[in-house]
Amino acid sequence: MSKQNPQEKDNLVFVKNYISLYQISISVWKNKLIIIILIIFSVIYSSYVLRNSTFEFEVKLDVIPLNEGSSMGNSSIQALNQILGIEKGGTQSQLGLYRSLINSHSIANILSNDIEFVKNLAGDSWDNKSKSIKPSKIGFTAKIKNTIKRVLGVPVFKQNLSNQKFVLSHLRKIQFRPAAAGMTEVYIQTDKTDRGALILLKAHHATENFLKNRQKMKTIKNINFIDSKLAQPQKSEHKASLIKMLSDQQKSLMISSSDMPYAVETFSELPTVSEYPVAPNSKLILISNLLISIAISLFLISLKEFLNLRKFKKN
């Protein structure tokens, strides 16, 4: 066996059966050029990503749910259910209905009928002749996928982007988060703040009107039902209760027919826009790429030392 070169021995980290942190530090210091190069590359790459990113701002609307438990209409319905022997579970909160409905197909269908709104939302993608969204061009990758599907016998369907689907794709971006004092923040992240504010306002008013009309129709049916019961012979105590319920239902009908907020109440007429962009997170991108570059450099240094160790054992 050839004699061991002292300089080659110093370059090895795992010569013995234990790990020497001192030797690891020496090895990292000797290969510091790898770390520096990768760190510089990560900074350049992060700068490239940030320069080519679309910065999004947060458009927010502060709302507070109204107290559904104090509604006269709901209390009357519960009393009517008790008299008629109908068991009914707890009603879903108006805020829950509002959250589920604001980015649903129902609201998208209502807003899609507002041509001016869809036109402002679409921008250059709007076709004035057909009053709809221009069909998007099929990319090269999509063409290859469709060709492979046809060869395999998989049916390829043309996806037409209707006004409703286009509006729904924007409504899906609306999110909720709890705030202080029982408030709820309805917000959307977008690079076009004017369109984001328009989406929030239109979706909010459409949802409120939908819930109002829904409650209005239910109240009318309840009034008609109570009137039919009053037309029949009733006990005096039941008749007095029905008259009280009828009065409450008529008051509830007045409320649902007014311009007052129904499910939630906004704290400002217009949404607020964040002063700085919220996405992408520049610090997170820089730090994550920096950590990845350091991890890769340490892996390369370890691999280099491992190969040197194998070479040393063979000699």
Side-chain angles (χ1 to χ4, degrees):
M1 177 181 287
S2 61
K3 293 184 178 180
Q4 182 179 352
N5 190 347
Q7 183 178 1
E8 187 178 8
K9 182 178 180 181
D10 292 338
N11 292 332
L12 298 176
V13 178
F14 306 104
V15 177
K16 300 181 180 180
N17 294 329
Y18 59 89
I19 298 176
S20 174
L21 295 179
Y22 174 72
Q23 289 179 337
I24 291 176
S25 302
I26 293 176
S27 179
V28 171
W29 176 253
K30 289 181 178 180
N31 296 278
K32 60 183 177 294
L33 186 60
I34 298 176
I35 301 177
I36 294 174
I37 292 174
L38 288 178
I39 288 177
I40 294 175
F41 176 77
S42 69
V43 173
I44 296 174
Y45 176 73
S46 299
S47 177
Y48 171 79
V49 170
L50 293 175
R51 287 177 181 272
N52 292 273
S53 298
T54 301
F55 288 88
E56 295 182 344
F57 293 81
E58 184 179 273
V59 184
K60 181 180 64 174
L61 190 65
D62 294 323
V63 300
I64 184 168
L66 300 180
N67 187 6
E68 182 188 20
S70 61
S71 173
M72 292 176 291
N74 290 327
S75 60
S76 298
I77 294 299
Q78 292 174 1
L80 180 61
N81 290 332
Q82 292 177 358
I83 291 178
L84 299 177
I86 301 175
E87 295 183 358
K88 184 177 179 181
T91 58
Q92 186 180 5
S93 66
Q94 295 293 358
L95 180 61
L97 287 173
Y98 179 86
R99 295 183 59 168
S100 301
L101 190 63
I102 195 170
N103 48 18
S104 65
H105 288 273
S106 301
I107 300 301
N109 184 40
I110 294 173
L111 294 179
S112 64
N113 295 325
D114 189 347
I115 301 299
E116 287 299 323
F117 168 71
V118 182
K119 183 178 179 180
N120 293 332
L121 201 61
D124 297 334
S125 301
W126 180 255
D127 188 358
N128 287 319
K129 293 182 179 180
S130 61
K131 301 296 182 182
S132 60
I133 308 299
K134 294 179 181 178
S136 59
K137 296 181 180 180
I138 301 177
F140 179 74
T141 305
K143 290 181 180 179
I144 294 178
K145 290 182 180 180
N146 292 338
T147 303
I148 295 175
K149 287 182 179 180
R150 292 189 182 97
V151 172
L152 298 176
V154 179
V156 178
F157 301 98
K158 293 183 179 180
Q159 296 183 355
N160 296 324
L161 185 61
S162 62
N163 293 350
Q164 180 180 353
K165 291 181 179 179
F166 175 74
V167 173
L168 183 63
S169 65
H170 286 80
L171 294 181
R172 295 293 190 190
K173 299 177 182 179
I174 298 177
Q175 302 181 52
F176 294 82
R177 64 169 170 243
M183 294 174 54
T184 300
E185 294 179 350
V186 187
Y187 67 97
I188 185 172
Q189 292 183 4
T190 178
D191 58 320
K192 299 179 177 61
T193 56
D194 293 339
R195 294 183 184 178
L198 182 63
I199 292 171
L200 282 183
L201 289 176
K202 287 287 187 179
H204 168 72
H205 292 308
T207 305
E208 276 281 300
N209 291 333
F210 185 92
L211 290 173
K212 277 185 180 181
N213 293 331
R214 175 176 173 269
Q215 181 62 32
K216 182 179 178 181
M217 297 302 297
K218 290 174 61 177
T219 306
I220 291 175
K221 290 181 179 179
N222 294 334
I223 291 175
N224 294 334
F225 178 77
I226 296 174
D227 285 336
S228 64
K229 288 296 181 181
L230 287 173
Q232 301 174 3
Q234 299 286 342
K235 295 182 179 179
S236 58
E237 59 272 15
H238 285 181
K239 189 173 182 179
S241 299
L242 289 173
I243 293 175
K244 177 64 169 59
M245 294 175 201
L246 181 61
S247 175
D248 290 343
Q249 287 295 304
Q250 289 174 344
K251 293 177 182 178
S252 177
L253 181 61
M254 292 176 60
I255 294 174
S256 60
S257 301
S258 66
D259 295 332
M260 296 174 61
Y262 178 73
V264 297
E265 182 179 3
T266 59
F267 267 66
S268 59
E269 295 182 359
L270 298 176
T272 58
V273 182
S274 60
E275 185 177 358
Y276 301 101
V278 295
N281 192 328
S282 304
K283 293 181 180 179
L284 181 62
I285 292 176
L286 288 171
I287 293 174
S288 60
N289 288 333
L290 182 63
L291 293 177
I292 291 173
S293 66
I294 294 175
I296 294 175
S297 62
L298 293 177
F299 171 77
L300 293 177
I301 292 173
S302 300
L303 181 62
K304 179 183 176 182
E305 294 297 328
F306 176 75
L307 295 176
N308 289 338
L309 178 61
R310 291 190 60 183
K311 183 179 178 182
F312 168 74
K313 286 183 177 180
K314 287 181 180 180
N315 296 331

